[in-house]
Amino acid sequence: MNGPGRSGPAGGPSGERPAWWSLAAPDAAQHLASRPEGLTTAEAEERLAATGPNVLRPERRTGLVGLAVRQVSNPVILVLVAAALVSSALREWIDAAIILAIVVGSALLGLVQEHHASRAVARLKARLALKASVLRDGHLEDVASTAIVPGDVVALSAGSLVPADGLILEAADLFVIQSALTGEPEPVRKLPGVVAPAAPMPERTNAVFTGTSVRSGTARVLVTATGEATEYAAIAGRLRLTAPETEFARGLRRYGYLLTRVMLVMTLIVFAANVFLERPPIDSLLFAIALAVGMSPELLPAVVSVTLASGARRMAARGVIVRRLDAIENLGSMDVLCTDKTGTLTRGVMEVEAALDPAGTPSDRVLRHAVLNASLQSGLANPLDEALVERGRRDGIDLADASKIGEVPYDFTRRRLSIAVRANGAGDALMITKGACAKFSRSAPVPEREAATPRSTLRCGPRSRRCSRPAAQTGFASSGS
């Protein structure tokens, strides 16, 4: 959302909320009747009762009646119901009973499956409830994010999900990932301060928003908006759409319409032919209707429901919950499935596959330097460093003969992390730098002949692109060092 502040529900006791990012921290706290040490438990409970829980407007749950109606609303089922009524009118009680039994059984099978799936999803959501570190009664405690209210003071640290919109009271090296709201690919630095009221969201550097996360650093934030009053809720409200009809459901609906048209045409043709042949009109009509009933696919709904329910049970055994049966056919009809590689289809654990020199050949020296850098750096822990440390432990790499004498932490401008080490506290110092190869080639070019000399660390100079090529060709991530 790139426009200026939007008006909305009151952010606190003082009534209509202003563009809170344009307020100094003391003014914002006064507006929200809050203070640096946060609210008391009693104040928080009173505000929670007034503002409601800190959640987006929940999806309207479909009850049993709604689920039942959905099971019988497709044209094939309606054709069978019509056939059962006609059979009853013709006093064909057995035929009518069989058709109705198939319809009811098919509908019940789908109803039970979807109802159980909906309940399982609700239980999962309850188990995944997030908590945040909030100042209550002057001390930090873990509070369910749904219980956060305007005026609360929330403590954020690396990895925290921002639970509500808020104004930064204090921050230390705070970088926030807010690409979900603004599309910015890089983490954004956040600082206390005052921003113009008309500033678009990317320029509100003194504020954090629901739906973002902390990449690094720490902060304390004064909550200014929760639930439906947040910027995230405003965007989500515009994106709320009715779930599209699946291709499988669309195919069944079209088949039902085709069947209905064929049956109507066939009935009219047969009835007209019998009348033309001077047959009794009533007998001709009953014959034509009986013929149409005979064309109806009585077992089709049952076969479809049983097949999809079987697929749902097999997927449930593999940990997949199917909320709507007709979604299974959509999944099975895919030709190409595009997804990210952040653990959705993998174990989500990074491993070191190889350590290569600029020529693309395996190098124990490069691996040792990478493990030294990961083991001795004091910044934010990350999966890459954890994978390097684990590889060093597995390979028995001894780091006891090296001591750290300095460090240049990672930052999002330099995009490198450097440590200086010395063997047993004596001899020449060695700087080991880890970062993207492209950054090395732009900032520290070296002659090709010096790229892997015994006395230097491995650096990516004019041949830096060769560092990442072998890994890129195999689909693995790479890092220059």
Side-chain angles (χ1 to χ4, degrees):
M1 180 173 175
N2 293 329
R6 60 186 180 87
S7 61
S14 301
E16 187 174 348
R17 63 190 180 97
W20 40 266
W21 52 89
S22 65
L23 299 177
D27 296 334
Q30 181 180 5
H31 180 81
L32 293 164
S34 183
R35 46 199 171 276
E37 61 271 17
L39 304 174
T40 65
T41 301
E43 288 173 331
E45 290 175 352
E46 181 181 345
R47 296 190 185 189
L48 183 62
T51 62
N54 178 31
V55 293
L56 298 181
R57 188 174 67 214
E59 296 180 12
R60 221 172 28 169
R61 292 188 60 182
T62 305
L64 282 174
V65 175
L67 288 174
V69 170
R70 191 162 70 196
Q71 304 307 314
V72 299
S73 61
N74 79 70
V76 175
I77 293 289
L78 296 179
V79 166
L80 293 180
V81 171
L85 294 176
V86 170
S87 296
S88 300
L90 296 176
R91 298 182 181 278
E92 298 289 345
W93 306 116
I94 295 178
D95 289 348
I98 291 174
I99 294 173
L100 285 177
I102 292 173
V103 169
V104 171
S106 173
L108 282 177
L109 189 61
L111 173 65
V112 170
Q113 172 66 32
E114 293 193 15
H115 179 61
H116 285 173
S118 296
R119 293 181 60 187
V121 170
R123 288 195 297 269
L124 273 178
K125 286 182 177 179
R127 290 177 59 187
L128 294 175
L130 299 176
K131 292 192 173 183
S133 187
V134 181
L135 274 172
R136 291 277 173 88
D137 300 314
H139 60 273
L140 286 173
E141 57 183 71
D142 289 336
V143 174
S145 62
T146 56
I148 292 175
V149 296
D152 266 329
V153 176
V154 177
L156 301 176
S157 58
S160 296
L161 296 178
V162 178
D165 290 2
L167 188 70
I168 296 175
L169 301 178
E170 56 185 66
D173 299 323
L174 181 66
F175 285 85
V176 174
I177 300 172
Q178 55 184 32
S179 56
L181 298 181
T182 64
E184 297 166 281
E186 300 291 343
V188 178
R189 187 169 191 179
K190 299 287 186 174
L191 298 165
V194 176
V195 176
M201 188 183 295
E203 296 178 11
R204 300 175 198 170
T205 55
N206 64 339
V208 292
F209 305 97
T210 304
T212 63
S213 60
V214 177
R215 177 63 181 84
S216 62
T218 59
R220 288 200 174 183
V221 172
L222 175 67
V223 174
T224 57
T226 60
E228 284 295 309
T230 61
E231 303 290 351
Y232 187 83
I235 296 173
R238 294 196 297 270
L239 297 178
R240 284 192 182 105
L241 301 172
T242 304
E245 185 179 33
T246 66
E247 190 63 33
F248 180 68
R250 187 180 301 113
L252 275 182
R253 176 172 55 80
R254 290 173 177 172
Y255 173 72
Y257 289 152
L258 174 64
L259 188 63
T260 302
R261 289 194 295 268
V262 170
M263 291 171 64
L264 287 174
V265 171
M266 183 66 70
T267 301
L268 292 174
I269 291 175
V270 171
F271 177 69
N274 277 276
V275 170
F276 179 75
L277 296 173
E278 299 182 353
R279 302 281 174 79
I282 298 299
D283 290 345
S284 299
L285 178 61
L286 294 179
F287 175 75
I289 293 175
L291 185 62
V293 170
M295 292 178 59
S296 58
E298 291 91 348
L299 288 176
L300 177 61
V303 170
V304 169
S305 295
V306 169
T307 303
L308 294 181
S310 174
R313 286 194 299 271
R314 291 175 62 187
M315 294 181 72
R318 294 173 176 265
V320 179
I321 297 175
V322 180
R323 294 189 65 179
R324 295 187 61 173
L325 287 180
D326 51 16
I328 295 178
E329 180 62 26
N330 258 20
L331 183 65
S333 63
M334 288 183 186
D335 295 319
V336 178
L337 173 63
C338 299
T339 182
D340 59 21
K341 56 184 180 65
T342 56
T344 309
L345 301 178
T346 63
R347 293 186 299 130
V349 177
M350 186 178 289
E351 292 184 352
V352 177
E353 178 69 16
L356 310 176
D357 63 17
T361 56
S363 169
D364 292 338
R365 177 169 167 271
V366 172
L367 178 60
R368 174 178 169 76
H369 287 170
V371 174
L372 272 171
N373 182 286
S375 302
L376 300 180
Q377 67 96 13
S378 58
L380 177 68
N382 62 77
L384 176 60
D385 286 336
E386 292 170 0
L388 286 168
V389 171
E390 174 60 24
R391 176 64 183 268
R393 184 193 63 77
R394 194 168 66 240
D395 289 5
I397 296 177
D398 184 15
L399 307 179
D401 62 340
S403 58
K404 185 171 82 170
I405 58 176
E407 178 176 355
V408 180
Y410 179 89
D411 65 71
F412 291 99
T413 300
R414 183 171 173 265
R415 296 181 65 184
R416 295 184 297 279
L417 184 150
S418 303
I419 63 165
V421 297
R422 179 176 285 129
N424 294 322
D428 293 338
L430 180 69
M431 176 173 282
I432 306 173
T433 300
K434 177 179 68 207
C437 280
K439 283 290 181 180
F440 285 86
S441 62
R442 284 198 297 265
S443 62
V446 295
E448 182 176 341
R449 63 180 180 275
E450 297 178 6
T453 55
R455 291 177 57 85
S456 68
T457 60
L458 176 62
R459 294 174 293 179
C460 298
R463 301 175 62 189
S464 62
R465 295 192 181 276
R466 295 186 60 184
C467 296
S468 59
R469 184 175 300 151
Q473 289 170 347
T474 59
F476 296 112
S478 62
S479 176
S481 61

